[in-house]
Amino acid sequence: MGLLRRRNIALPILALGLVLALVAFFLGPSRYKTESSLILTAPPSGGTLSMDPTKPVGLTNPLLQYNDGLRTVAGILIVALNSKEELRKLGVEEGGGTEIVIDDGRSNSDLLGVVTLGPFLHVMVESDSPDTAKLILERAHQRLNAELVKYQTTLGAPKSTFIAINTVALLPPEYDGSGKTQLALGTLIGTLLLGFAGAYGVLVRGLFPRPAPAPAPASEEAEPAPPEGGSVNGRVPLKEQDEAAPRP
């Protein structure tokens, strides 16, 4: 608190922090984000194929066939696409400039209230290039479809009963300035902390002159010493009175 009151120390540190924060904001990498919401749907004939061509299975509205089986398939796809091998196929390297999130929608606040109502898939890509973000999102959609077809084919499911992936919403790449703002705030706070810590260390070592303490007010004025052989307040010391008294 003492350093904050000293303008010759606090103002230069604050100015340096603001300058570095502005530099970090303008030189920080731009980020672009795109995302999509997908849903799994069953075919109109459901998951059963009639063995008798003369007795076809009845058709049902696919939007009325949601069940736990579709949510299970969605969970399988989410686990498969989040593996390191699949992420490398998409072009997402660990520690690189592109990040991807594939889940059931819980990372999107707009979907938190509906993720338990249907087999949703949510894909979000963030990159320093809008073209890269769009490309990775398209690759993720292709991989989801390919994995879904592969699993159903491997299990021997009839093609007429294949589950499909449908796009509910697709947001184009948009500029996201939250990363730059966080970088600027972090730079400002870090500069202030390091600056005041360094100034405090230098001050403790005595390189900065400390302000001189104000003189303490005197409580009582000191009484002058009595002159030798004289009187104090008109009185003669006892020793001198004894010497001046006549002896018998």
Side-chain angles (χ1 to χ4, degrees), residues 3-4 9-21 184-201:
L3 292 176
L4 289 175
I9 297 177
L11 291 182
I13 294 177
L14 179 60
L16 178 61
L18 293 176
V19 170
L20 292 180
L185 289 177
T187 302
L188 176 60
I189 295 175
T191 303
L192 294 179
L193 292 178
L194 292 177
F196 281 107
Y200 180 78

Side-chain angles (χ1 to χ4, degrees), residues 57-141:
V57 179
L59 302 181
T60 308
N61 188 334
L63 297 179
L64 300 177
Q65 297 186 18
Y66 293 120
N67 51 46
D68 291 337
L70 292 177
R71 284 192 282 268
T72 301
V73 176
I76 294 173
L77 294 176
I78 292 171
V79 173
L81 265 294
N82 277 293
S83 65
K84 293 183 178 180
E85 181 180 356
E86 288 294 333
L87 293 179
R88 283 195 295 266
K89 291 180 180 179
L90 296 177
V92 179
E93 298 291 339
E94 187 174 358
T98 302
E99 300 177 359
I100 186 172
V101 175
I102 303 175
D103 57 18
D104 60 352
R106 66 187 61 194
S107 61
N108 188 339
S109 58
D110 296 333
L111 299 177
L112 286 179
V114 297
V115 293
T116 59
L117 302 179
F120 287 99
L121 292 171
H122 174 248
V123 183
M124 189 275 292
V125 181
E126 186 175 352
S127 180
D128 51 7
S129 170
D131 295 334
T132 302
K134 181 180 179 181
L135 178 61
I136 297 299
L137 184 66
E138 293 176 352
R139 289 179 180 176
H141 288 181

Side-chain angles (χ1 to χ4, degrees), residues 7-70:
R7 293 185 177 181
N8 61 331
I9 297 177
L11 291 182
I13 294 177
L14 179 60
L16 178 61
L18 293 176
V19 170
L20 292 180
L22 290 175
V23 171
F25 181 82
F26 287 108
L27 296 184
S30 300
R31 304 290 291 176
Y32 297 87
K33 182 171 66 173
T34 179
E35 56 185 318
S36 64
S37 297
L38 313 173
I39 192 169
L40 300 180
T41 57
S45 60
T48 303
L49 176 63
S50 176
M51 301 300 294
D52 187 356
T54 62
K55 297 180 181 179
V57 179
L59 302 181
T60 308
N61 188 334
L63 297 179
L64 300 177
Q65 297 186 18
Y66 293 120
N67 51 46
D68 291 337
L70 292 177

Side-chain angles (χ1 to χ4, degrees), residues 205-218:
R205 292 177 175 270
L207 298 182
F208 282 160
R210 294 187 178 184

Side-chain angles (χ1 to χ4, degrees), residues 118-171:
F120 287 99
L121 292 171
H122 174 248
V123 183
M124 189 275 292
V125 181
E126 186 175 352
S127 180
D128 51 7
S129 170
D131 295 334
T132 302
K134 181 180 179 181
L135 178 61
I136 297 299
L137 184 66
E138 293 176 352
R139 289 179 180 176
H141 288 181
Q142 294 172 1
R143 290 299 303 160
L144 285 170
N145 281 283
E147 287 296 317
L148 180 58
V149 171
K150 185 186 73 172
Y151 286 132
Q152 296 178 100
T153 303
T154 303
L155 295 175
K159 289 187 177 181
S160 61
T161 63
F162 273 16
I163 301 170
I165 298 179
N166 296 275
T167 302
V168 178
L170 176 62
L171 300 180

